[in-house]
Amino acid sequence: MIEDKNQQRTQLSDLGEFGLIEHLTKNFKIKQTSTIKSIGDDAAILDFKNKKVVVTTDLLVESVHFDLSYVPLKHLGYKAVVVNLSDVYAMNATATQVTVSIAVSNRFPLEALEDLYAGIETAANIYNIDVVGGDTTSSTTGLLISITAIGEVENDVEVYRSGANPSDLLVVTGDLGGAYMGLQVLEREKEVYKVNSNNQPDLEPYSYIIERQLKPEARKDIVKLLKDLELKPTAMIDISDGLSSEILHICKQSKVGCDIYEEKIPLDPQVISTCEEFNIDSTTVALNGGEDYELLFTISQDDYSKIKANPNFSIIGHIKEEGAGTHLVTRADTRIPIKAQGWKNFNA
Amino acid sequence: MIEDKNQQRTQLSDLGEFGLIEHLTKNFKIKQTSTIKSIGDDAAILDFKNKKVVVTTDLLVESVHFDLSYVPLKHLGYKAVVVNLSDVYAMNATATQVTVSIAVSNRFPLEALEDLYAGIETAANIYNIDVVGGDTTSSTTGLLISITAIGEVENDVEVYRSGANPSDLLVVTGDLGGAYMGLQVLEREKEVYKVNSNNQPDLEPYSYIIERQLKPEARKDIVKLLKDLELKPTAMIDISDGLSSEILHICKQSKVGCDIYEEKIPLDPQVISTCEEFNIDSTTVALNGGEDYELLFTISQDDYSKIKANPNFSIIGHIKEEGAGTHLVTRADTRIPIKAQGWKNFNA
């Protein structure tokens, strides 16, 4: 293969701040009726009528949250939007708009930002949201993305972390641990590449878990499904930091305890086989891996029939009184206290 | 004076991400009735009834937007909030909430972030807004602050950049150029300090312009005043990048031209004297300096009597047909085309 040495590189300084925002967002179409005024004024103007408004924000920093040696910029733009939308869905709400701010060093040409924004635009189209604002600026090192996601929710439809009651069922969507194991594979291939850059890794056996890491999806479909099932969870949270951490958030804020069952934790076969290959315990990965962006929620036992046998849902345990504590019941039937590992990224 | 060498330094890694957010915001009081759920869930829940929602976002990067060698962290936190609120007021709206995300390197101890958040809290109290969300994470270098400000506005009260009409009057609040000249003084003192760190500069003659740079205020009072005067501007923008740049935004988006009069541009005596000292043209500073956070707006001539003789307002020119172009009429009565200098911070 002949490498194209003449790839276009347009310096960001050729455009200036105003030109850059206009250039990057000029093809973005407005899709939401609530978007009255988008990019181009001092602020966006939105009209949610009498619905409530949901707001959440996240900051992604190069070398802390992502590694551009194996994350394509388009995927990064997509993921940056999706992880924010996940927080909106975790309120049982509909995501409607985002603002996107980026700080970039001069090592990024315009074409790199176009790739990033192509991913942002793809996510906006798939999730039916508008990009209504943002800021672009230079940084002294690296790339940083700050996204604020906005959503809407009818009165009394929103679900907090604090509503779980003893005897409620603990339910999780999809499967867990994939994103973390995908990261392990990518990190291993990065090390191999350092030693031999001609190596072409066969990533096919890891396709699912790598996609979970590089191009995660937020569970917009679950919010719709819950509505169709006429099922309002008592508490809900998205799984960004690992199941352990999220369960503890629900238990702490709801002032309850819980038992979860190791054998009930949903794992994809590719997660299990990759865990065996890496000699890592798959339960530990599901509990502490994070970045799965599934939803964890609690429902009254009266609603059990609404989710029974639905392949989207796994019942992994139940809520207990606060004094009972928070435990994992292992396959060997021993009870282990659940501890948050979370994502302590200040431990650098 | 004896320097305290035992100043407390708590490592951020001692707290972890969850502990940090809780710690920094635990004293923040909720003030707005529209804030239903603040920090502590996947997202904030806000209720604006049937008012429209205003959203704007800004990113401030160390060494690009601020220099911690002369900007105290408390002032930085205050300013970071205020500059965002200014964009909400520029829509003729009321600011109600902000989210605050920060990325910091390990060189910052907890106490530094407490100072930063003390400034954020002070701004929140003075401007009567709630801090309803945010994210804290580590960065590889320096400090970065991303703020999204949210506001509310009654139907048909919002003012865009695009509504100016020929013969409208161009009005500016306060005075211009102070923030830029304050920065020049601070930069000069930094150079002096490098040469002789025992030098104690006398900054008293520059107190107003230094305050304009370090602790700017947003014109919340003007939004209220306009309401009291029953005056709705035809177009409005805040002056963050300099008068030239903002006038051109209004003219471009309103598809009009304008004449502004050099002699009408409001300057504080301290700006004039400091410009003389630095041998800089004060008109150039007012046109291109930026960071004044005053409001620039246009009104119908029919509304002239409402602002006449009001010390908050200076009429600096008038709107013309688009074909007439955009000009500065100098004291010598020559006409110079207005050009945007703006804030091209990619020119690093």
Side-chain angles (χ1 to χ4, degrees):
Chain A
M1 259 177 66
I2 299 162
E3 201 182 330
D4 178 10
K5 296 281 186 195
N6 292 314
Q7 282 184 28
Q8 189 134 359
R9 280 184 67 91
T10 309
Q11 296 299 313
L12 294 179
S13 50
D14 296 346
L15 282 112
E17 192 179 354
F18 306 126
L20 185 56
I21 294 172
E22 279 185 13
H23 179 83
L24 292 170
T25 61
K26 67 176 185 286
N27 294 323
F28 286 29
K29 299 274 182 301
I30 298 301
K31 295 170 285 289
Q32 292 282 341
T33 54
S34 57
T35 304
I36 308 300
K37 175 74 187 179
S38 181
I39 292 168
D41 214 299
D42 292 281
I45 299 278
L46 312 175
D47 187 355
F48 295 102
K49 311 292 180 190
N50 45 20
K51 286 181 184 171
K52 285 187 191 151
V53 180
V54 181
V55 179
T56 178
T57 192
D58 254 319
L59 201 54
L60 297 175
V61 181
E62 185 179 351
S63 309
V64 178
H65 299 102
F66 56 87
D67 182 335
L68 289 178
S69 63
Y70 53 74
V71 178
L73 280 162
K74 189 173 174 182
H75 284 64
L76 179 64
Y78 188 89
K79 180 172 176 174
V81 170
V82 165
V83 304
N84 269 277
L85 302 185
S86 180
D87 281 320
V88 175
Y89 301 135
M91 305 305 289
N92 205 29
T94 305
T96 46
Q97 287 92 7
V98 293
T99 65
V100 181
S101 294
I102 55 172
V104 277
S105 69
N106 283 329
R107 89 173 142 91
F108 293 88
L110 175 63
E111 289 73 20
L113 294 191
E114 287 175 342
D115 283 350
L116 183 75
Y117 270 77
I120 290 167
E121 189 181 8
T122 302
N125 288 336
I126 289 178
Y127 288 90
N128 196 34
I129 55 157
D130 295 332
V131 178
V132 297
D135 200 3
T136 51
T137 184
S138 57
S139 81
T140 44
T141 55
L143 173 64
L144 185 143
I145 308 173
S146 174
I147 294 189
T148 297
I150 298 159
E152 61 181 23
V153 63
E154 299 276 1
N155 267 322
D156 297 327
V157 171
E158 73 270 25
V159 175
Y160 298 100
R161 297 176 178 177
S162 54
N165 300 306
S167 92
D168 280 358
L169 301 175
L170 254 170
V171 185
V172 69
T173 63
D175 54 74
L176 301 178
Y180 180 82
M181 290 316 296
L183 182 63
Q184 302 314 306
V185 170
L186 289 166
E187 291 277 0
R188 182 179 67 183
E189 295 310 322
K190 181 184 171 184
E191 294 306 313
V192 171
Y193 182 86
K194 279 183 189 166
V195 176
N196 177 4
S197 63
N198 289 320
N199 183 58
Q200 288 287 331
D202 176 17
L203 296 176
E204 180 58 31
Y206 311 107
S207 57
Y208 175 69
I209 59 176
I210 287 174
E211 181 153 339
R212 293 286 278 178
Q213 171 59 227
L214 292 184
K215 191 167 173 291
E217 302 293 347
R219 300 308 305 259
K220 179 186 181 185
D221 58 325
I222 297 295
V223 174
K224 182 177 185 304
L225 180 58
L226 290 171
K227 187 178 181 185
D228 292 344
L229 293 170
E230 295 180 6
L231 173 59
K232 186 184 175 187
T234 51
M236 187 152 64
I237 191 169
D238 80 320
I239 301 180
S240 52
D241 297 324
L243 183 61
S244 291
S245 171
E246 314 305 355
I247 283 180
L248 291 177
H249 279 306
I250 284 184
C251 287
K252 184 182 173 195
Q253 295 200 25
S254 298
K255 297 187 175 63
V256 295
C258 73
D259 278 353
I260 63 169
Y261 296 88
E262 183 181 17
E263 64 183 353
K264 301 288 189 186
I265 296 173
L267 301 172
D268 185 84
Q270 216 171 76
V271 170
I272 296 171
S273 61
T274 312
C275 280
E276 283 170 0
E277 187 186 332
F278 278 73
N279 201 21
I280 308 178
D281 177 54
S282 59
T283 301
T284 304
V285 166
L287 287 172
N288 301 321
E291 293 205 270
D292 288 314
Y293 301 105
E294 296 294 341
L295 293 171
L296 172 73
F297 58 90
T298 55
I299 61 168
S300 163
Q301 289 208 14
D302 299 340
D303 286 327
Y304 170 65
S305 62
K306 293 180 182 172
I307 65 158
K308 191 175 60 174
N310 188 318
N312 286 288
F313 303 123
S314 301
I315 300 170
I316 59 167
H318 56 269
I319 299 297
K320 301 177 81 167
E321 296 288 346
E322 188 171 21
T326 52
H327 293 92
L328 174 73
V329 182
T330 67
R331 288 195 183 83
D333 209 26
T334 55
R335 294 165 57 80
I336 302 173
I338 297 171
K339 286 186 182 142
Q341 299 286 328
W343 218 37
K344 300 212 179 89
N345 61 31
F346 283 109
N347 288 345
Chain B
M1 261 178 63
I2 298 161
E3 198 181 335
D4 178 9
K5 295 282 188 195
N6 293 313
Q7 282 183 29
Q8 190 136 357
R9 281 183 66 92
T10 309
Q11 296 298 315
L12 294 181
S13 50
D14 296 347
L15 281 112
E17 191 178 354
F18 306 127
L20 184 56
I21 294 171
E22 279 183 16
H23 178 83
L24 292 171
T25 61
K26 66 177 186 287
N27 293 324
F28 286 29
K29 299 274 183 302
I30 298 299
K31 294 171 285 287
Q32 291 283 339
T33 53
S34 57
T35 303
I36 308 300
K37 175 74 188 178
S38 182
I39 291 168
D41 215 298
D42 292 279
I45 300 278
L46 312 175
D47 188 355
F48 295 102
K49 310 292 179 190
N50 44 22
K51 287 182 185 170
K52 284 187 192 153
V53 180
V54 181
V55 178
T56 178
T57 192
D58 254 317
L59 200 55
L60 297 176
V61 181
E62 185 179 353
S63 309
V64 177
H65 301 101
F66 56 87
D67 182 336
L68 290 177
S69 64
Y70 53 73
V71 178
L73 280 163
K74 188 173 175 182
H75 284 64
L76 180 63
Y78 188 89
K79 179 171 175 174
V81 170
V82 164
V83 303
N84 269 276
L85 302 184
S86 179
D87 281 319
V88 175
Y89 301 135
M91 305 304 291
N92 205 27
T94 304
T96 47
Q97 288 92 7
V98 293
T99 66
V100 181
S101 294
I102 55 172
V104 277
S105 69
N106 283 329
R107 80 170 213 264
F108 292 88
L110 175 63
E111 290 71 21
L113 294 192
E114 287 175 345
D115 283 350
L116 183 75
Y117 270 76
I120 290 167
E121 189 180 8
T122 302
N125 289 336
I126 289 178
Y127 288 91
N128 196 33
I129 55 156
D130 295 332
V131 179
V132 297
D135 199 3
T136 50
T137 184
S138 57
S139 80
T140 44
T141 55
L143 172 64
L144 185 142
I145 308 172
S146 173
I147 294 189
T148 296
I150 298 160
E152 61 182 22
V153 63
E154 299 276 1
N155 267 322
D156 297 326
V157 171
E158 73 270 26
V159 175
Y160 298 100
R161 296 176 178 177
S162 55
N165 300 306
S167 91
D168 281 359
L169 301 175
L170 254 168
V171 184
V172 70
T173 63
D175 53 74
L176 302 177
Y180 180 83
M181 289 316 296
L183 182 63
Q184 302 316 304
V185 171
L186 289 166
E187 291 277 0
R188 182 179 68 183
E189 295 311 322
K190 180 184 170 184
E191 294 306 313
V192 170
Y193 182 85
K194 279 182 190 167
V195 176
N196 178 5
S197 63
N198 289 320
N199 183 59
Q200 288 285 335
D202 176 17
L203 296 176
E204 180 58 31
Y206 312 107
S207 58
Y208 174 69
I209 59 175
I210 288 175
E211 181 154 337
R212 292 286 280 176
Q213 171 58 228
L214 292 184
K215 193 169 170 290
E217 302 294 347
R219 300 307 305 259
K220 178 186 182 183
D221 58 324
I222 297 294
V223 174
K224 182 178 183 304
L225 181 56
L226 290 173
K227 188 179 180 184
D228 292 345
L229 293 171
E230 296 180 7
L231 174 58
K232 186 184 175 186
T234 50
M236 187 151 65
I237 191 169
D238 79 320
I239 301 181
S240 52
D241 296 323
L243 183 60
S244 290
S245 171
E246 315 303 356
I247 283 180
L248 291 177
H249 279 306
I250 284 185
C251 287
K252 183 182 173 194
Q253 295 200 27
S254 297
K255 297 187 174 64
V256 294
C258 73
D259 277 353
I260 63 170
Y261 296 87
E262 183 180 17
E263 64 183 354
K264 302 289 188 185
I265 297 173
L267 301 172
D268 185 85
Q270 218 172 75
V271 171
I272 296 170
S273 63
T274 311
C275 281
E276 283 168 2
E277 186 186 335
F278 278 73
N279 200 21
I280 307 179
D281 177 54
S282 59
T283 301
T284 305
V285 166
L287 288 172
N288 302 320
E291 294 205 271
D292 289 314
Y293 302 106
E294 297 293 343
L295 293 172
L296 171 73
F297 58 89
T298 55
I299 60 168
S300 163
Q301 289 207 14
D302 299 341
D303 288 326
Y304 170 65
S305 62
K306 294 180 182 173
I307 65 160
K308 191 175 59 173
N310 188 318
N312 287 288
F313 303 123
S314 301
I315 300 171
I316 59 167
H318 56 270
I319 298 296
K320 301 177 80 167
E321 296 289 344
E322 188 171 20
T326 52
H327 293 91
L328 174 75
V329 182
T330 67
R331 288 195 183 82
D333 209 26
T334 55
R335 294 165 56 82
I336 302 172
I338 297 171
K339 285 185 183 144
Q341 300 286 328
W343 220 35
K344 299 212 180 91
N345 60 30
F346 283 109
N347 289 344

